[in-house]
Amino acid sequence: MQFPILSVIVFTPLVAGMLLLFIPADRKQEARVAALAAGLFTFAMSVWVYFSYDAAAAGYQFVEKYSWLPALGISYHVGVDGISAPLVMLTGLVMFTGVLISWGIDDRPREFFAFLFILATGVFGVFVSLDLFMLFFFYEIAVFPMYLLISIWGWKQTREYAAMKLTLYLFVGSVIALVGALAMYWTAYQNTGILTFDMLQLEKAGFSATFQQIWFPFVFLGFAVLGGIWPFHNWSPDGHVAAPTAVSMFHAGVLMKLGAFAALRVGIMLLPEGAKLHMNWIILLALVNVVYGAFIASIQRDFKYVIGFSSVSHMGLVMMGFATLTHDGMVGAGVQMFSHGAMTALFFAVVGMVYDQAHTRDIPRLGGVSKVMLWPTIAFIVGGLVSMGMPGFSGFVAEFPIFMGVWQSHPWIALVAVISIVVTASYIIRIIRSVFFGDLPAEFDGHLHDVRVLDKIALGVLTVVLLVLGAYPPVMVPMVETGVQHVLHLLGGA
Amino acid sequence: MNIPAFQPSMYLALVPVISLIVVALLVLLFDALWDEEKRRNLGWLTFGGILLTMVLTAFLSAPASPSLVWGGMLRHDWLSFTFAQIFLFGAAITALLSMDIPALGRRGEAYILMLVSTIGMILMASAADIVMLFLAIETTSIPLYILAGFFGKDDKSTEAGFKYLLFGAMTSSVMLYGLSLLYGFARTTSLEGVAAALGNFSPGLALGTLVLLLVGFGFKVSLFPLHFWAPDVYEGAPTPIAGFLSTASKAAGFAVLMRVFLTVYPSLEGYWPMLIAIAAAFSMTVGNLLAINQKNIKRMLAYSSIAHAGYALVGFVAVSELGVNSVVFYLGAYLLTNLAAFGAVAVFWRVTGTDAIADYAGLSRRKPWLALAMLAAFLSLAGMPPFGGFIAKVLVFAAAVQAGYIWLVVVGVLNSIVGLYYYLKVLNEVYHHRNEETEGLPLPITAPQGIALVVLSLGIILIGFLFTPFFNLGTVAAAALF
């Protein structure tokens, strides 16, 4: 029997989180060190999975399958394909850097890390699930710790409101998708006579075109709520802003991918006929995300809201890539999920570092930060170039194929969507200029100092990942392509 | 099914009942022998006695195949066995939680009443005869009326006991009227005999008796529109008793409801599932909406328990083996969850003397482990994995979707969102809000309370992860009715 590496990755954070609760409350440093050890271990495992994934062989790898509730066809079935393997690594990356960034949390750190790790288990679980029941199981696990993380450790002004809003939005989306999933389950039973939640078997269940067309919008949009699709994106900027730094990183970096990923795996892959019909209007929603998100981001005064809305805009590109149902669009979307995850985690980390010291996120009041915080400035500039889709950075590797895909399927949408690139460039450059350069306002003189070594490590890791992917796309693109091939196969070679 | 003549082996079906009577007699004996301070230990005696009963039941009373025993009074099958274990577990935990509430836990009567009520529930779940059914329901209810009003010096508790008695007596008499009609027209008291004779009833009469019975059963499970007693009674009753009422007593109501409807009224399956579906939809909606604005945690849990009766019935409307199985599973998971919730409330009340939700502010700083138990209980009530409430909800919804009740599932799903909102509000008090005044104060948990909460919290997680054995037990239990 091979080493059950995916299970280890999924359950390490959970077990670590539980163990953390046994550390006495006043031993905060021990709790942090233990959390860091767990984060590093999980990250290392996820990197190992990524680099051992055999792109030539494609398909699902590291598969483990145990029966869970055989009477109803529920199994514990995990595996990664070319699309989910990068996302597993992304989760490990954000978890590790999130722990580093959260070193300064002084209010009940052990509970903070415990909830953060339960969240991580949920996220890993969804990315590796090959069983529909299991996917929901972990999906919900990922939702509730968010509530406590935001409402306890978040930004005082909006945290209660934002936490409740976020939790209810996501829960609504997931339960609506759950009804669709149960409908699929019983219809598959009628068609094939097999009771199973196994997604690999549900792919072959032969749902009628009408069935697929009826249920696709519920399932897809139910999950896409977490992906931040317009007009259900509303929870996301509020949630990002209210959340503490590590949670914003997790949230925008990984959790939103969870929505997009589940929408792909359950929506598009199990109901391809529905996708073919409905994507023609869903791509319009994604277009609104992309363009509207960018415009709203550009008029924000609050540094963190800019990043929050930029996430809405970039996640729109992911949805748009999927909605094209073309090879190029989906490969781009797959890479974009990773690239945006690392990039936005980097952004939120920098925002958090600036806010922790300046105690304001009001862009006009900030300035000259680069004079004291060199590392965050460099990291932010790299992230900004990624965000703009500059060639040589990972954003280009992701966005260029998406636009190519959109051009193939809906040329005029591509024409509108490219506006977002210009707008994105404008607000990123504005932030770089007015926050990081210029004169340091007198009120911050002596208050700002350089960031901790741990923060530098976190920023360094994230920056290097973005640069490597940008400089050498083959490290990821062929892998994602293998995953996309399977999706296209389900779509009937479209 | 023929009614077999008496055989000594029929005593095996009564093992839990006999064992509980022995425990009750022992409690009575030691109540007289021990003085005031030692009487708290009657709780340990009750707890140990019930655990022993559970073991004896498991080994001696596991039914081979469904059989009618004692002249057709009882049906010994896996459904009655499963429910008996559920009631016994609930009673054992309630005994533990009662021990350290002085006006309750130091009086032998309290434990005896609990035991007698549990005997009634076990008989309810296995009754196969109209007479037995009514006697069992009354045996369950009368001790509970007294227990609800056990704090004689507390007006609210007296009110609770009295209200429960009045409404209980009223709905019982309505149900008795229905039972008498069934007997009058069918000329037999056996449920199977009534079912056979039901073909001769006019449809209006048959449906009429069904509605009259539903009044009695609906009262026990606090189903809309017979739910109105629950908040007042739960608020006034001693907290462990409120927990017992909302879990074991409710489960007993479900046991009779399912057995009677599926045994007596299969010929009306075109009508009553829709009736139940509507009642379930209203229970969920009314319960959840009224729970939102409650300031008292026991009242909130009362409304939430009305809603949960609705969720559980969502599985029953499917009228399938999976449906009954899902209801049994739901009730089991709900028993663990709600007892944990009431247990935490009882622990908190014993020290602080308050049940106001606002007073839970800062609990996680004051007593992190109690807060964690509340987290598990409330998230399980909300239907979040990895707690038992999630899989329970998925199962009842799955059964209903299979039977084509998509609208009901949508109502249920929307209701879980409302539920999540008010459960999270409580957790928000516990975890987020601070209360500088109480932060440093101790909040001791006594040994029996600690044991109960640990067992329940682990149970909630266990049933949420490793649900297969429980599901399989539910499968054989459900098979007994089809």
Side-chain angles (χ1 to χ4, degrees):
Chain A
M1 200 185 104
Q2 74 179 61
F3 181 64
I5 186 153
L6 291 180
S7 296
V8 171
I9 290 179
V10 170
F11 290 106
T12 299
L14 184 70
V15 172
M18 294 291 150
L19 291 179
L20 277 177
L21 291 176
F22 285 95
I23 296 177
D26 50 343
R27 315 196 67 167
K28 295 180 177 175
Q29 197 63 17
E30 279 89 338
R32 293 185 186 113
V33 172
L36 182 62
L40 186 60
F41 175 76
T42 317
F43 179 43
M45 290 301 226
S46 68
V47 171
W48 192 82
V49 164
Y50 180 85
F51 285 103
S52 336
Y53 183 87
D54 183 357
Y60 293 102
Q61 299 181 10
F62 307 103
V63 175
E64 297 165 43
K65 185 169 185 179
Y66 312 100
S67 64
W68 196 356
L69 182 51
L72 291 184
I74 296 176
S75 56
Y76 175 85
H77 190 183
V78 296
V80 287
D81 67 353
I83 297 177
S84 55
L87 294 172
V88 169
M89 182 168 76
L90 173 70
T91 312
L93 173 68
V94 175
M95 180 177 160
F96 170 61
T97 51
V99 173
L100 288 177
I101 299 280
S102 310
W103 210 257
I105 285 187
D106 201 45
D107 176 17
R108 289 177 282 172
R110 77 182 169 149
E111 275 94 345
F112 178 84
F113 288 121
F115 289 138
L116 191 70
F117 282 4
I118 294 172
L119 174 68
T121 285
V123 173
F124 278 124
V126 172
F127 286 144
V128 302
S129 289
L130 295 179
D131 183 277
L132 194 51
F133 174 85
M134 197 181 139
L135 186 138
F136 275 100
F137 188 85
F138 284 107
Y139 194 90
E140 304 287 358
I141 288 183
V143 170
F144 80 78
M146 210 68 195
Y147 175 78
L148 291 170
L149 285 167
I150 295 179
S151 93
I152 301 174
W153 290 277
W155 184 43
K156 286 197 174 54
Q157 319 236 343
T158 58
R159 58 188 178 188
E160 283 188 50
Y161 164 76
M164 187 61 91
K165 182 170 173 179
L166 174 146
T167 313
L168 292 183
Y169 258 85
L170 301 190
F171 194 59
V172 171
S174 69
V175 289
I176 289 172
L178 178 65
V179 179
L182 291 176
M184 278 188 229
Y185 173 69
W186 290 117
T187 311
Y189 176 57
Q190 280 168 10
N191 289 357
T192 62
I194 306 169
L195 271 177
T196 182
F197 275 105
D198 195 318
M199 288 196 272
L200 304 186
Q201 293 191 35
L202 289 176
E203 281 173 3
K204 296 177 234 141
F207 299 122
S208 71
T210 328
F211 175 86
Q212 298 191 27
Q213 285 162 0
I214 292 173
W215 285 104
F216 179 80
F218 296 99
V219 175
F220 185 87
L221 291 179
F223 284 121
V225 170
L226 181 51
I229 198 162
W230 186 86
F232 310 114
H233 67 287
N234 211 291
W235 58 272
S236 115
D238 286 328
H240 293 331
V241 170
T245 302
V247 178
S248 302
M249 289 166 65
F250 230 95
H251 187 216
V254 186
L255 218 61
M256 290 179 87
K257 276 80 207 166
L258 210 64
F261 176 77
L264 169 75
R265 177 133 295 169
V266 185
I268 298 175
M269 288 170 75
L270 297 186
L271 303 169
E273 288 303 319
K276 283 182 198 161
L277 178 73
H278 292 286
M279 278 310 185
N280 290 317
W281 60 270
I282 286 176
I283 198 168
L284 287 174
L285 301 183
L287 176 67
V288 177
N289 266 71
V290 173
V291 178
Y292 165 87
F295 271 110
I296 299 289
S298 70
I299 57 166
Q300 296 296 320
R301 280 170 58 105
D302 184 318
F303 194 4
K304 209 169 181 183
Y305 266 109
V306 176
I307 308 300
F309 278 103
S310 92
S311 280
V312 172
S313 171
H314 283 103
M315 283 309 292
L317 282 172
V318 173
M319 296 290 176
M320 192 183 261
F322 285 145
T324 61
L325 301 178
T326 60
H327 171 269
D328 292 348
M330 289 207 264
V331 170
V335 179
Q336 172 79 346
M337 285 203 278
F338 182 87
S339 157
H340 172 253
M343 170 195 94
T344 209
L346 180 71
F347 277 162
F348 278 115
V350 173
V351 172
M353 288 169 198
V354 172
Y355 178 73
D356 279 346
Q357 301 191 14
H359 302 292
T360 180
R361 295 190 304 256
D362 194 24
I363 295 170
R365 284 179 61 202
L366 291 163
V369 171
S370 66
K371 295 195 171 114
V372 275
M373 299 185 188
L374 187 61
W375 281 66
T377 308
I378 295 171
F380 193 90
I381 292 173
V382 171
L385 293 171
V386 170
S387 178
M388 287 184 250
M390 222 22 100
F393 293 88
S394 64
F396 180 75
V397 180
E399 291 182 19
F400 188 69
I402 293 179
F403 284 113
M404 288 208 310
V406 179
W407 182 259
Q408 289 159 24
S409 65
H410 304 78
W412 63 271
I413 285 188
L415 287 177
V416 182
V418 288
I419 298 172
S420 74
I421 298 184
V422 183
V423 181
T424 304
S426 81
Y427 67 74
I428 293 290
I429 291 171
R430 180 174 65 105
I431 287 187
I432 292 176
R433 192 198 62 211
S434 58
V435 173
F436 293 96
F437 294 102
D439 295 324
L440 191 67
E443 58 174 313
F444 299 136
D445 221 11
H447 291 293
L448 295 193
H449 42 86
D450 204 2
V451 294
R452 279 183 294 259
V453 177
L454 293 173
D455 290 342
K456 288 180 184 169
I457 296 175
L459 293 176
V461 172
L462 289 166
T463 312
V464 167
V465 168
L466 289 173
L467 290 175
V468 167
L469 178 56
Y472 188 64
V475 75
M476 183 169 295
V477 174
M479 186 191 275
V480 175
E481 270 179 327
T482 63
V484 168
Q485 284 303 338
H486 180 59
V487 182
L488 291 175
H489 171 71
L490 292 172
L491 286 162
Chain B
M1 202 183 290
N2 291 322
I3 296 171
F6 172 77
Q7 294 154 350
S9 65
M10 285 180 179
Y11 278 107
L12 291 180
L14 287 183
V15 164
V17 175
I18 295 166
S19 171
L20 286 183
I21 291 174
V22 172
V23 177
L25 290 176
L26 282 177
V27 171
L28 196 62
L29 182 69
F30 283 102
D31 187 35
L33 291 179
W34 285 345
D35 48 5
E36 173 76 21
E37 291 86 68
K38 280 182 85 180
R39 275 191 209 139
R40 170 177 176 273
N41 295 328
L42 293 171
W44 289 118
L45 179 65
T46 313
F47 175 69
I50 297 176
L51 282 194
L52 189 66
T53 308
M54 287 176 81
V55 174
L56 286 177
T57 309
F59 282 105
L60 296 177
S61 192
S65 60
S67 57
L68 289 173
V69 292
W70 297 102
M73 282 291 149
L74 299 176
R75 192 166 190 267
H76 187 46
D77 58 19
W78 278 101
L79 188 78
S80 54
F81 173 82
T82 308
F83 270 106
Q85 294 288 23
I86 291 178
F87 305 144
L88 287 168
F89 180 79
I93 296 291
T94 307
L96 282 185
L97 292 174
S98 305
M99 277 172 68
D100 288 304
I101 294 178
L104 185 70
R106 296 204 183 152
R107 294 176 60 181
E109 308 93 286
Y111 299 111
I112 295 171
L113 289 169
M114 265 176 233
L115 290 166
V116 173
S117 180
T118 311
I119 292 172
M121 291 174 194
I122 291 170
L123 294 176
M124 263 169 94
S126 50
D129 186 284
I130 287 176
V131 178
M132 191 67 222
L133 182 71
F134 186 72
L135 284 176
I137 290 180
E138 293 307 303
T139 311
T140 307
S141 302
I142 293 169
L144 289 176
Y145 300 149
I146 306 170
L147 282 172
F150 208 75
F151 292 161
K153 290 181 184 142
D154 177 12
D155 286 350
K156 283 211 160 165
S157 179
T158 314
E159 182 198 336
F162 206 64
K163 206 167 225 168
Y164 193 37
L165 166 69
L166 283 182
F167 287 133
M170 189 189 76
T171 50
S172 275
S173 55
V174 173
M175 179 182 66
L176 187 59
Y177 182 50
L179 292 175
S180 67
L181 283 177
L182 282 182
Y183 169 66
F185 283 94
R187 277 173 277 170
T188 170
T189 56
S190 110
L191 292 181
E192 287 178 13
V194 173
L198 207 68
N200 307 328
F201 285 37
S202 69
L205 176 68
L207 209 58
T209 57
L210 183 142
V211 171
L212 293 175
L213 295 193
L214 189 59
V215 169
F217 303 158
F219 172 79
K220 287 241 71 103
V221 305
S222 65
L223 187 65
F224 177 89
L226 300 153
H227 63 280
F228 39 77
W229 58 275
D232 290 339
V233 173
Y234 287 16
E235 186 190 358
T239 308
I241 302 303
F244 193 55
L245 272 178
S246 74
T247 53
S249 165
K250 194 186 283 267
F254 271 101
V256 259
L257 176 70
M258 293 196 293
R259 188 184 291 280
V260 171
F261 275 37
L262 290 175
T263 310
V264 178
Y265 295 106
S267 56
L268 294 182
E269 269 171 22
Y271 302 98
W272 59 258
M274 187 46 91
L275 191 69
I276 300 262
I278 292 169
F282 273 102
S283 287
M284 291 188 283
T285 313
V286 170
N288 277 322
L289 290 181
L290 292 179
I292 293 177
N293 278 323
Q294 297 304 321
K295 304 274 182 280
N296 179 304
I297 196 158
K298 282 163 79 181
R299 286 188 81 83
M300 194 208 86
L301 285 172
Y303 283 110
S304 117
S305 93
I306 295 166
H308 280 279
Y311 294 126
L313 278 185
V314 169
F316 185 51
V317 296
V319 198
S320 61
E321 280 195 39
L322 176 63
V324 173
N325 184 356
S326 70
V327 175
V328 175
F329 192 96
Y330 197 98
L331 293 171
Y334 177 70
L335 178 105
L336 288 168
T337 305
N338 223 31
L339 278 179
F342 273 104
V345 171
V347 169
F348 187 76
W349 177 84
R350 190 183 76 90
V351 178
T352 63
T354 168
D355 284 327
I357 294 175
D359 289 331
Y360 280 77
L363 181 64
S364 86
R365 289 168 196 274
R366 200 171 161 188
K367 198 80 190 176
W369 290 106
L370 183 62
L372 210 62
M374 282 190 81
L375 179 83
F378 276 72
L379 287 176
S380 179
L381 283 175
M384 285 286 178
F387 306 107
F390 171 73
I391 171 75
K393 271 210 178 83
V394 170
L395 289 178
V396 290
F397 289 161
V401 169
Q402 185 192 23
Y405 282 92
I406 304 265
W407 67 269
L408 187 61
V409 173
V410 170
V411 172
V413 154
L414 293 177
N415 265 294
S416 0
I417 297 161
V418 179
L420 181 67
Y421 172 73
Y422 62 81
Y423 296 129
L424 282 183
K425 278 210 318 194
V426 175
L427 292 179
N428 195 26
E429 291 291 346
V430 169
Y431 272 93
H432 166 205
H433 286 161
R434 295 187 73 151
N435 187 341
E436 308 283 351
E437 290 168 22
T438 61
E439 207 158 279
L441 298 180
L443 206 163
I445 300 179
T446 63
Q449 290 172 337
I451 293 172
L453 286 180
V454 168
V455 168
L456 291 170
S457 306
L458 290 180
I460 292 171
I461 296 174
L462 191 71
I463 203 174
F465 261 115
L466 304 172
F467 34 73
T468 310
F470 303 97
F471 183 86
N472 291 342
L473 186 60
T475 308
V476 283
L481 287 182
F482 288 91

Coordinates of all heavy atoms in Angstrom, one line a residue, chain A residues 184-196 202 205 207, chain B residues 402:
Chain A
M184 N -29.0 14.8 -8.3 CA -28.1 14.1 -9.1 C -28.0 12.6 -8.6 O -28.0 11.7 -9.4 CB -26.8 14.7 -9.1 CG -26.6 15.9 -10.0 SD -24.8 16.2 -10.0 CE -24.8 17.9 -9.7
Y185 N -27.9 12.5 -7.3 CA -27.6 11.2 -6.7 C -28.8 10.3 -7.0 O -28.5 9.1 -7.5 CB -27.5 11.5 -5.2 CG -27.4 10.2 -4.3 CD1 -26.3 9.4 -4.4 CD2 -28.4 10.0 -3.4 CE1 -26.2 8.3 -3.5 CE2 -28.3 8.9 -2.6 CZ -27.2 8.0 -2.7 OH -27.2 6.9 -1.8
W186 N -30.0 10.7 -6.8 CA -31.1 9.8 -7.0 C -31.4 9.6 -8.5 O -31.8 8.5 -8.9 CB -32.4 10.4 -6.4 CG -32.3 10.3 -4.9 CD1 -32.3 11.3 -4.0 CD2 -32.2 9.1 -4.1 NE1 -32.2 10.9 -2.7 CE2 -32.1 9.5 -2.7 CE3 -32.1 7.8 -4.3 CZ2 -32.0 8.6 -1.7 CZ3 -32.0 6.9 -3.3 CH2 -31.9 7.3 -2.0
T187 N -31.1 10.6 -9.3 CA -31.3 10.4 -10.8 C -30.3 9.4 -11.3 O -30.6 8.5 -12.1 CB -31.2 11.7 -11.5 OG1 -32.0 12.7 -10.8 CG2 -31.7 11.6 -12.9
A188 N -29.1 9.5 -10.8 CA -28.1 8.5 -11.2 C -28.5 7.1 -10.8 O -28.3 6.2 -11.5 CB -26.7 8.9 -10.6
Y189 N -29.1 7.0 -9.6 CA -29.6 5.7 -9.2 C -30.6 5.2 -10.1 O -30.6 4.0 -10.5 CB -30.1 5.9 -7.8 CG -30.7 4.6 -7.2 CD1 -29.9 3.4 -7.1 CD2 -32.0 4.6 -6.7 CE1 -30.5 2.3 -6.6 CE2 -32.5 3.4 -6.2 CZ -31.8 2.3 -6.1 OH -32.3 1.1 -5.6
Q190 N -31.5 6.0 -10.5 CA -32.6 5.6 -11.5 C -32.0 5.2 -12.8 O -32.4 4.2 -13.4 CB -33.6 6.7 -11.7 CG -34.6 6.9 -10.6 CD -35.4 8.2 -10.7 OE1 -35.3 8.9 -11.8 NE2 -36.1 8.5 -9.7
N191 N -30.9 5.9 -13.2 CA -30.4 5.6 -14.5 C -29.5 4.3 -14.5 O -29.6 3.6 -15.5 CB -29.5 6.8 -15.0 CG -30.3 8.0 -15.4 OD1 -31.6 7.9 -15.3 ND2 -29.7 9.1 -15.7
T192 N -28.7 4.2 -13.5 CA -27.7 3.1 -13.5 C -28.0 2.0 -12.5 O -27.4 1.0 -12.6 CB -26.3 3.7 -13.2 OG1 -26.4 4.2 -11.9 CG2 -25.9 4.8 -14.1
G193 N -28.9 2.3 -11.5 CA -29.1 1.3 -10.5 C -28.0 1.2 -9.5 O -28.0 0.3 -8.7
I194 N -27.1 2.1 -9.5 CA -26.0 2.1 -8.5 C -26.2 3.3 -7.6 O -26.3 4.4 -8.1 CB -24.6 2.2 -9.2 CG1 -24.5 1.1 -10.2 CG2 -23.5 2.1 -8.1 CD1 -23.3 1.2 -11.1
L195 N -26.2 3.0 -6.3 CA -26.2 4.2 -5.3 C -24.8 4.6 -5.1 O -24.0 3.9 -4.5 CB -26.8 3.7 -4.0 CG -28.3 3.8 -3.8 CD1 -28.7 3.2 -2.5 CD2 -28.8 5.2 -3.9
T196 N -24.5 5.8 -5.6 CA -23.1 6.2 -5.3 C -23.0 7.7 -5.3 O -23.7 8.4 -6.1 CB -22.2 5.7 -6.4 OG1 -20.8 6.1 -6.1 CG2 -22.5 6.1 -7.8
L202 N -20.5 9.3 -11.2 CA -21.6 10.2 -11.5 C -21.3 10.8 -12.9 O -22.2 11.1 -13.6 CB -21.7 11.3 -10.5 CG -22.3 10.8 -9.1 CD1 -22.3 12.0 -8.1 CD2 -23.7 10.3 -9.3
A205 N -23.0 8.8 -15.4 CA -24.4 8.4 -15.0 C -25.4 8.7 -16.1 O -26.5 8.2 -16.0 CB -24.8 9.1 -13.7
F207 N -27.0 11.5 -17.3 CA -28.1 12.4 -17.0 C -28.7 13.0 -18.3 O -27.9 13.3 -19.2 CB -27.6 13.6 -16.1 CG -27.1 13.2 -14.8 CD1 -25.8 13.6 -14.4 CD2 -27.8 12.5 -13.9 CE1 -25.3 13.3 -13.2 CE2 -27.3 12.2 -12.6 CZ -26.1 12.5 -12.3
Chain B
Q402 N -35.6 11.7 -2.6 CA -35.8 10.5 -3.3 C -37.3 10.3 -3.5 O -37.7 9.8 -4.5 CB -35.3 9.3 -2.4 CG -35.4 8.0 -3.2 CD -35.2 6.8 -2.3 OE1 -35.3 6.9 -1.1 NE2 -34.8 5.7 -2.9

